Amino acid sequence: MSELVARTGRQQQRYEDGYRLIAGCIPFRYRTVEKDDGGTSEKIVEVLMINSTGGPGLLFPKGGWENDETAEEAAEREAMEEAGVRGDLVHFLGCYPFKSKTLQDEYSPEGLCRAAMYALHVKEELDSWPEKSHRERSWLTIPEAIGCCRHAWMREALEKGFSKWYADGMIHTLPRKGFSNSSSS
């Protein structure tokens, strides 16, 4: 079995108009909850958050979108590296600009970032992943996650992107892996 390793460095980072391009996701799963009467159950959605290595609060997995990958590939890679999960990207939640206090460099001296965020339906939780020694995973309901979110832009992605998509019926808007986009008659 090969060792999973996180990418490091900024040599292949993408930049556009003074913004460092970021890709990330809101990992989610369905959980069945039994009602108090014992006879009925309901399916609820939980989202996965990870602890921040730089202070209090929880985050969604995200990181630099590199030159040799699509935004979708970067989002999936970050989910595996930071949160130890794999799954299917099912919906684009939007782009969210923010200013990083710590990630200023020659291409983005003001620390401006723009994050492409996706909904990731989790299919697998890994026992070992690259940032396991630095990260803890927490499955939360959407209201719990809103209350724990460290960054305002991530809370916006959850409230305006994910929650709207959830309210609209969680329709797959990205192609499923292994399926073509063309329809045959």
Side-chain angles (χ1 to χ4, degrees):
M1 179 174 142
S2 66
E3 183 83 17
L4 298 174
V5 178
R7 287 186 174 197
T8 58
R10 296 266 173 92
Q11 301 86 350
Q12 294 198 53
Q13 295 291 290
R14 287 180 188 246
Y15 293 85
E16 183 178 272
D17 301 327
Y19 285 83
R20 179 173 175 239
L21 301 183
I22 304 290
C25 63
I26 297 178
F28 73 95
R29 71 179 180 190
Y30 298 101
R31 185 167 61 93
T32 302
V33 178
E34 300 296 324
K35 296 279 190 161
D36 290 336
D37 62 16
T40 60
S41 62
E42 71 174 317
K43 202 186 265 192
I44 65 166
V45 170
E46 293 179 318
V47 295
L48 180 68
M49 298 188 82
I50 53 176
N51 65 303
S52 168
T53 58
L58 298 176
L59 310 169
F60 295 111
K62 57 94 180 118
W65 169 14
E66 299 188 356
N67 290 325
D68 65 344
E69 60 190 352
T70 65
E72 292 87 354
E73 289 167 339
E76 290 175 320
R77 176 180 50 78
E78 290 295 338
M80 187 280 299
E81 289 178 359
E82 292 188 349
V85 293
R86 290 189 176 126
D88 297 326
L89 292 180
V90 294
H91 182 70
F92 175 65
L93 301 171
C95 283
Y96 299 88
F98 66 98
K99 187 171 182 174
S100 173
K101 294 178 182 152
T102 58
L103 299 176
Q104 295 146 339
D105 58 28
E106 64 183 296
Y107 302 108
S108 181
E110 296 175 26
L112 299 175
C113 299
R114 187 170 36 242
M117 293 294 287
Y118 297 86
L120 176 89
H121 185 194
V122 174
K123 302 289 188 175
E124 179 183 14
E125 286 185 61
L126 304 173
D127 293 328
S128 180
W129 66 95
E131 296 188 21
K132 181 178 181 172
S133 62
H134 309 296
R135 304 283 189 183
E136 291 181 24
R137 300 184 282 213
S138 300
W139 286 102
L140 305 165
T141 63
I142 294 171
E144 289 170 336
I146 290 168
C148 295
C149 215
R150 176 179 167 96
H151 299 298
W153 73 269
M154 285 189 179
R155 191 169 32 260
E156 182 181 352
L158 181 59
E159 289 178 314
K160 293 185 178 170
F162 191 89
S163 294
K164 181 184 181 319
W165 174 66
Y166 176 73
D168 289 345
M170 300 179 86
I171 305 299
H172 268 260
T173 60
L174 295 175
R176 289 186 169 101
K177 289 181 184 168
F179 293 89
S180 70
N181 288 337
S182 62
S183 58
S184 55
S185 33

